[in-house]
Amino acid sequence: GENHASTGMTYGNMAIVYEMQGKFALALEFYDKALTTKRATLGDNHPSVADTLFNMGLLHLDQGRPADAAPLLRQAHAIRLEKLGPDHPKTLKSSRALQRLP
């Protein structure tokens, strides 16, 4: 159903496909759906929520919108630090993404 964690994961996967196809507006639309669904089903500080925030942030950054990317990447990093720890590969990856911000 609409309010199930698996639905949020599916939306996220669809966003990745759209992004790979260069359909960036559709990708953002599905990242937003994924984020809304994951937050409703998993809570605001779940690592899966961080994954979606991170992907959205990278898309904005890659599209030349660092001001849109920054809060998403910072929130993803904060969740990953808290839930996964500073040495987790995903935390390190988000730290590197933050270094790309102007």
Side-chain angles (χ1 to χ4, degrees), residues 24-43:
F24 303 121
L26 268 176
L28 284 172
E29 181 182 328
F30 276 87
Y31 280 135
D32 192 50
K33 286 181 169 193
L35 187 59
T36 299
T37 304
K38 287 179 179 184
R39 281 182 164 159
T41 58
L42 301 171

Side-chain angles (χ1 to χ4, degrees), residues 10-22:
T10 300
Y11 286 149
N13 290 337
M14 291 173 69
I16 291 168
V17 170
Y18 285 130
E19 185 174 354
M20 292 172 66
Q21 292 175 340

Side-chain angles (χ1 to χ4, degrees), residues 54-76:
F54 179 77
N55 289 339
M56 289 175 77
L58 278 188
L59 178 55
H60 282 296
L61 192 59
D62 292 342
Q63 293 296 302
R65 295 186 300 271
D68 293 328
L72 299 167
L73 293 173
R74 287 187 183 112
Q75 189 175 0

